[in-house]
Amino acid sequence: MRKEFHADYYQAIIQLRPADKKLMGFVEEFIEKTDVWVSKMIHLKTGVDYYISSNKIARQIGKQLKKNFHGELIESRKLYSRDSYTSKNIYRVTVCFRLREEDN
């Protein structure tokens, strides 16, 4: 049974700093291979933010970015809610990947 979510639903944010075509292509290709959706994509002066529907996939993307590109990976989480049935905390994850200056 699949849950239905509203169009703006997200569990994780992937932040790419700066917005590099190679990085964006890598992330978008990775997302296409999974059943995850992007609820919104925000272009900023400093980079791009992808709001996606899976914490697990966001963390996997972060690890693959770190493995394939030279940069810094920062993962953080923020308490979002609490499950009323299981009483477990529900977190939203932010994965920030920064390219090194010499690689820009």
Side-chain angles (χ1 to χ4, degrees):
M1 186 170 129
R2 183 181 165 161
K3 289 183 179 180
E4 295 296 323
F5 297 104
H6 60 84
D8 292 336
Y9 176 80
Y10 71 95
Q11 286 185 0
I13 304 170
I14 300 172
Q15 299 176 332
L16 302 178
R17 304 292 187 258
D20 184 67
K21 296 248 188 253
K22 289 180 190 175
L23 289 177
M24 290 173 62
F26 183 85
V27 169
E28 290 168 8
E29 188 176 311
F30 196 101
I31 289 172
E32 284 178 13
K33 293 178 184 176
T34 63
D35 61 348
V36 174
W37 72 89
V38 177
S39 61
K40 59 183 160 179
M41 185 170 121
I42 299 176
H43 292 274
L44 305 166
K45 260 198 249 184
T46 56
V48 177
D49 290 354
Y50 291 92
Y51 290 74
I52 68 169
S53 62
S54 171
N55 285 337
K56 182 179 175 183
I57 298 299
R59 296 184 74 215
Q60 286 177 0
I61 290 171
K63 287 178 185 175
Q64 289 300 315
L65 284 168
K66 177 77 173 168
K67 182 178 172 184
N68 294 310
F69 300 94
H70 297 285
E72 179 185 8
L73 178 66
I74 301 169
E75 290 183 9
S76 61
R77 66 183 187 166
K78 186 176 185 180
L79 183 62
Y80 171 66
S81 182
R82 194 164 174 87
D83 189 304
S84 59
Y85 294 112
T86 63
S87 297
K88 290 184 179 180
N89 291 335
I90 299 171
Y91 292 93
R92 283 193 169 161
V93 173
T94 301
V95 175
C96 180
F97 184 77
R98 293 185 184 276
L99 271 178
R100 289 194 194 134
E101 288 297 321
E102 66 269 7
D103 294 340
N104 292 348

